[in-house]
Amino acid sequence: MSPFESIFEEFIDAIQTAANVDEFERIATRLTQRLGLQRFAYLRITGDTPMLISSYPKSWTSRYFQLRYQQLDPVVLRARVEQALFGWGGEMSSPVGNREQRRFFDEATTFGIRSGITVPIKGGFGQVAAFSLATDARDVHPERLVRECRDLLHAAGLHFHCNVTIRLGLSNDKLAEGELTQRERQCLAWVAHGKTVADIAVLVQIAPRTVVFHLENARRKLGAASIAQCIAEALRRGLLS
């Protein structure tokens, strides 16, 4: 097991025990620091309503929401339209922005947020979330983490989002529980065709652990006791092509 996999395993074990915002913040902060970065932020937006769990400076987050920066932040705007994990700031390509957005980045730097990595997370009914790890250190290069453990970082963001949603009672069961993402349907469809987790990982080009995550998330959403029952229910509902 690689060092990154060990860090991720510890995070997954810990996040399943979190019961409140403080515990989620503590666990995500430890993940961030073990990866060599400094701060994290989980921003969840449903409509125009933001919800934040973060280790960013309180002076910055207060100003951020007071000035409604979530409507301007290039990272949030990019998370709304992209599916894949991306890096920003530092040596990585910053999201293209106008003069006002570039000033926003300059201001964020004064609060110790210079560069980072963001996992976009899409939900139903206009919901978007972004799980970000950031640093102010000039000698720390987030792009190395993107190269070496992209799948693990993506899975960490998804695990954080799902556990926050479930454990803090943020899900709307009537609206969201039966809604499968494209990747969840894709993984289920391959299982229905007899493929193993290892096969699917190669076919979909994600880590085996991420395949398991998507399958388990689909099973939970459809209220199934097993993956086989989940596939049957998905087929019954016409969710698989």
Side-chain angles (χ1 to χ4, degrees), residues 28 37 60 95 125 127 129 132 151 156 170 179 192 215 226 229 235:
L37 302 176
W60 169 243
F125 306 93
Q127 181 191 103
S132 299
D151 286 339
L170 301 177
E179 181 178 294
L215 291 173
S226 66
Q229 183 184 351
L235 289 169

Short mmCIF file of all heavy atoms in Angstrom, two decimals, residues 28 37 60 95 125 127 129 132 151 156 170 179 192 215 226 229 235:
data_model
loop_
_atom_site.label_atom_id
_atom_site.label_comp_id
_atom_site.label_asym_id
_atom_site.label_seq_id
_atom_site.Cartn_x
_atom_site.Cartn_y
_atom_site.Cartn_z
N ALA A 28 -11.12 16.32 8.14
CA ALA A 28 -10.66 16.84 6.85
C ALA A 28 -9.38 17.66 7.01
O ALA A 28 -8.52 17.65 6.12
CB ALA A 28 -11.74 17.70 6.20
N LEU A 37 -0.59 19.89 2.65
CA LEU A 37 -1.24 21.17 2.41
C LEU A 37 -1.65 21.77 3.76
O LEU A 37 -1.31 21.23 4.81
CB LEU A 37 -2.42 21.00 1.46
CG LEU A 37 -2.06 20.39 0.10
CD1 LEU A 37 -3.30 20.17 -0.74
CD2 LEU A 37 -1.07 21.26 -0.65
N TRP A 60 -11.64 35.50 6.61
CA TRP A 60 -11.83 35.37 5.17
C TRP A 60 -13.22 34.84 4.84
O TRP A 60 -13.91 35.36 3.96
CB TRP A 60 -10.77 34.47 4.56
CG TRP A 60 -11.02 34.06 3.14
CD1 TRP A 60 -11.22 32.81 2.66
CD2 TRP A 60 -11.13 34.92 1.99
NE1 TRP A 60 -11.43 32.81 1.31
CE2 TRP A 60 -11.38 34.11 0.87
CE3 TRP A 60 -11.03 36.30 1.82
CZ2 TRP A 60 -11.53 34.62 -0.42
CZ3 TRP A 60 -11.19 36.82 0.53
CH2 TRP A 60 -11.43 35.99 -0.57
N PRO A 95 -8.21 29.40 -13.15
CA PRO A 95 -9.38 29.58 -14.01
C PRO A 95 -9.34 30.95 -14.68
O PRO A 95 -8.95 31.94 -14.06
CB PRO A 95 -10.55 29.48 -13.02
CG PRO A 95 -10.00 28.73 -11.85
CD PRO A 95 -8.56 29.10 -11.77
N PHE A 125 -31.14 18.90 -8.73
CA PHE A 125 -31.92 20.10 -8.49
C PHE A 125 -31.03 21.33 -8.25
O PHE A 125 -31.27 22.14 -7.36
CB PHE A 125 -32.89 19.89 -7.33
CG PHE A 125 -33.77 18.69 -7.52
CD1 PHE A 125 -33.40 17.46 -7.00
CD2 PHE A 125 -34.92 18.77 -8.28
CE1 PHE A 125 -34.19 16.34 -7.21
CE2 PHE A 125 -35.72 17.66 -8.49
CZ PHE A 125 -35.36 16.44 -7.96
N GLN A 127 -27.99 21.59 -7.16
CA GLN A 127 -27.02 21.57 -6.07
C GLN A 127 -25.62 21.34 -6.60
O GLN A 127 -25.39 20.50 -7.48
CB GLN A 127 -27.37 20.46 -5.08
CG GLN A 127 -26.42 20.38 -3.89
CD GLN A 127 -26.64 19.11 -3.09
OE1 GLN A 127 -25.87 18.15 -3.19
NE2 GLN A 127 -27.69 19.10 -2.31
N ALA A 129 -21.40 21.20 -5.03
CA ALA A 129 -20.50 21.29 -3.89
C ALA A 129 -19.07 21.26 -4.41
O ALA A 129 -18.80 20.74 -5.51
CB ALA A 129 -20.74 20.14 -2.90
N SER A 132 -12.24 21.46 -1.45
CA SER A 132 -10.95 22.04 -1.83
C SER A 132 -9.91 21.88 -0.75
O SER A 132 -10.20 22.00 0.45
CB SER A 132 -11.12 23.54 -2.13
OG SER A 132 -12.01 23.76 -3.20
N ASP A 151 -7.30 9.98 -8.35
CA ASP A 151 -8.48 9.18 -8.02
C ASP A 151 -8.77 9.18 -6.52
O ASP A 151 -9.94 9.24 -6.10
CB ASP A 151 -8.31 7.74 -8.51
CG ASP A 151 -8.44 7.62 -10.02
OD1 ASP A 151 -9.04 8.51 -10.64
OD2 ASP A 151 -7.93 6.63 -10.58
N ALA A 156 -12.02 11.00 -1.97
CA ALA A 156 -12.08 11.65 -0.66
C ALA A 156 -13.15 12.74 -0.65
O ALA A 156 -13.93 12.86 0.30
CB ALA A 156 -10.72 12.23 -0.29
N LEU A 170 -28.89 16.42 5.58
CA LEU A 170 -29.07 17.41 4.52
C LEU A 170 -29.74 16.84 3.27
O LEU A 170 -30.02 17.58 2.34
CB LEU A 170 -27.71 18.01 4.12
CG LEU A 170 -26.95 18.70 5.25
CD1 LEU A 170 -25.61 19.20 4.74
CD2 LEU A 170 -27.77 19.85 5.82
N GLU A 179 -32.06 9.12 -7.27
CA GLU A 179 -31.40 9.72 -8.43
C GLU A 179 -29.96 9.24 -8.52
O GLU A 179 -29.15 9.52 -7.64
CB GLU A 179 -31.44 11.25 -8.30
CG GLU A 179 -30.79 11.96 -9.47
CD GLU A 179 -30.91 13.46 -9.31
OE1 GLU A 179 -32.03 13.96 -9.36
OE2 GLU A 179 -29.88 14.10 -9.12
N ALA A 192 -23.86 -5.41 -14.26
CA ALA A 192 -24.96 -6.17 -14.85
C ALA A 192 -24.51 -6.99 -16.06
O ALA A 192 -25.11 -8.02 -16.38
CB ALA A 192 -26.09 -5.22 -15.27
N LEU A 215 -20.74 2.07 -6.56
CA LEU A 215 -21.69 0.97 -6.45
C LEU A 215 -22.43 1.01 -5.11
O LEU A 215 -23.65 0.83 -5.05
CB LEU A 215 -20.97 -0.37 -6.61
CG LEU A 215 -20.42 -0.68 -8.00
CD1 LEU A 215 -19.57 -1.95 -7.97
CD2 LEU A 215 -21.55 -0.81 -9.02
N SER A 226 -28.29 -5.50 -1.46
CA SER A 226 -27.10 -6.03 -2.13
C SER A 226 -26.95 -5.35 -3.49
O SER A 226 -27.89 -4.72 -3.98
CB SER A 226 -27.22 -7.54 -2.32
OG SER A 226 -28.28 -7.83 -3.23
N GLN A 229 -29.49 -6.88 -5.91
CA GLN A 229 -30.81 -6.30 -5.76
C GLN A 229 -30.84 -4.88 -6.32
O GLN A 229 -31.83 -4.45 -6.92
CB GLN A 229 -31.22 -6.28 -4.29
CG GLN A 229 -32.63 -5.76 -4.06
CD GLN A 229 -32.97 -5.67 -2.59
OE1 GLN A 229 -32.24 -6.14 -1.73
NE2 GLN A 229 -34.11 -5.03 -2.28
N LEU A 235 -32.84 -1.71 -13.03
CA LEU A 235 -33.42 -2.17 -14.28
C LEU A 235 -34.93 -1.98 -14.27
O LEU A 235 -35.54 -1.58 -15.27
CB LEU A 235 -33.07 -3.64 -14.52
CG LEU A 235 -31.60 -3.92 -14.87
CD1 LEU A 235 -31.32 -5.42 -14.81
CD2 LEU A 235 -31.25 -3.37 -16.26
#
